[in-house]
Amino acid sequence: NAGVTQTPKFRVLKTGQSMTLLCAQDMNHEYMYWYRQDPGMGLRLIHYSVGEGTTAKGEVPDGYNVSRLKKQNFLLGLESAAPSQTSVYFCASSYSSQSLRGYTGELFFGEGSRLTVL
Amino acid sequence: AQSVAQPEDQVNVAEGNPLTVKCTYSVSGNPYLFWYVQYPNRGLQFLLKYITGDNLVKGSYGFEAEFNKSQTSFHLKKPSALVSDSALYFCAVRDPWVPTRDSSYKLIFGSGTRLLVRP
């Protein structure tokens, strides 16, 4: 059981380049999330999705786009990378209250994708 | 607005000694509180949670946490630290209401506390 898998694990970009991070989960979770982790700031929510075909903005959405065309995948895109987007990105997934009775919201995380923008 | 504060960037303890990692929160109503641990180059792993009931919650790897409503705190504790407990620890809070179809289980995370257990 792979859980939550992120690709790539490492990437170096030049300012202005674009790229896509892929998150895949095999737990049939309804909800998926993208967080970024920066030193001293913990994790901040970028975008999230409550189901296939739906996405919503989190705390720090600017400069990012997302898509959830399939239930198991959640893509995070950077259209024009900036040095401020240098970070470690984490994908997470969770059940919904509808899919698991009594579920209280624990998240399952991938191992992270380290992105450097020069 | 919900918020979580972890006042210590780093906690140092000797192996075998008790450890405490502090967390305070601000949320309207009764909170759902979580602790996660992150080992080097890994994702976050769930440790324990407080939803309701007993103020002392037991979790994975011998960790426990004490919920104190009057002090709005949820400190993580372990009676006897191990070198292998050295990691980054995050406290998180969630609004307790059950999300509708258009919402989610959004967690608000603290800034993290690095625990260093020396042999």
Side-chain angles (χ1 to χ4, degrees), chain B residues 65-106:
Chain B
E66 186 173 11
F67 172 67
N68 187 317
K69 188 172 183 178
S70 63
Q71 297 185 2
T72 62
S73 66
F74 188 54
H75 300 333
L76 181 69
K77 300 182 179 183
K78 188 173 183 181
S80 179
L82 299 173
V83 172
S84 58
D85 292 330
S86 298
L88 190 56
Y89 291 81
F90 289 96
C91 183
V93 65
R94 181 175 79 76
D95 193 307
W97 53 269
V98 177
T100 65
R101 182 67 177 85
D102 294 328
S103 62
S104 73
Y105 293 106
K106 290 183 286 184

Side-chain angles (χ1 to χ4, degrees), chain A residues 31 33 35 37 40-43 45 48 50 90 94-98 103-107 109-111, chain B residues 32 34 36 38 42-44 46 49 51 88 90 94 98-101 103-107 109-111:
Chain A
Y31 296 160
Y33 314 79
Y35 283 88
Q37 182 183 27
M41 302 187 73
L43 277 77
L45 183 63
Y48 65 97
V50 298
F90 286 98
S94 73
Y95 294 104
S96 69
S97 59
Q98 290 80 21
Y103 183 61
T104 50
E106 297 92 306
L107 303 185
F109 283 85
E111 295 198 343
Chain B
Y32 285 5
F34 301 81
Y36 284 81
Q38 183 182 28
R42 303 296 299 272
L44 278 70
F46 169 75
K49 65 183 177 184
I51 304 301
L88 190 56
F90 289 96
R94 181 175 79 76
V98 177
T100 65
R101 182 67 177 85
S103 62
S104 73
Y105 293 106
K106 290 183 286 184
L107 291 184
F109 286 88
S111 56

Side-chain angles (χ1 to χ4, degrees), chain B residues 12-49:
Chain B
N12 299 307
V13 297
E15 188 172 32
N17 283 359
L19 70 87
T20 299
V21 182
K22 296 180 180 178
C23 172
T24 59
Y25 66 89
S26 174
V27 64
S28 57
N30 296 316
Y32 285 5
L33 294 159
F34 301 81
W35 275 102
Y36 284 81
V37 59
Q38 183 182 28
Y39 297 103
N41 300 314
R42 303 296 299 272
L44 278 70
Q45 298 178 32
F46 169 75
L47 267 183
L48 51 79
K49 65 183 177 184

Side-chain angles (χ1 to χ4, degrees), chain A residues 19-38:
Chain A
M19 74 157 297
T20 300
L21 297 176
L22 170 63
C23 176
Q25 52 94 4
D26 61 1
M27 296 174 280
N28 201 33
H29 285 167
E30 283 286 336
Y31 296 160
M32 296 186 75
Y33 314 79
W34 275 108
Y35 283 88
R36 61 177 288 174
Q37 182 183 27
D38 301 293

Side-chain angles (χ1 to χ4, degrees), chain A residues 56-78:
Chain A
K57 295 180 179 180
E59 183 185 357
V60 288
D62 293 342
Y64 305 95
N65 56 76
V66 288
S67 64
R68 184 125 180 249
L69 299 180
K70 294 183 179 180
K71 184 178 183 179
Q72 64 268 33
N73 295 337
F74 195 29
L75 278 64
L76 177 71
L78 285 71

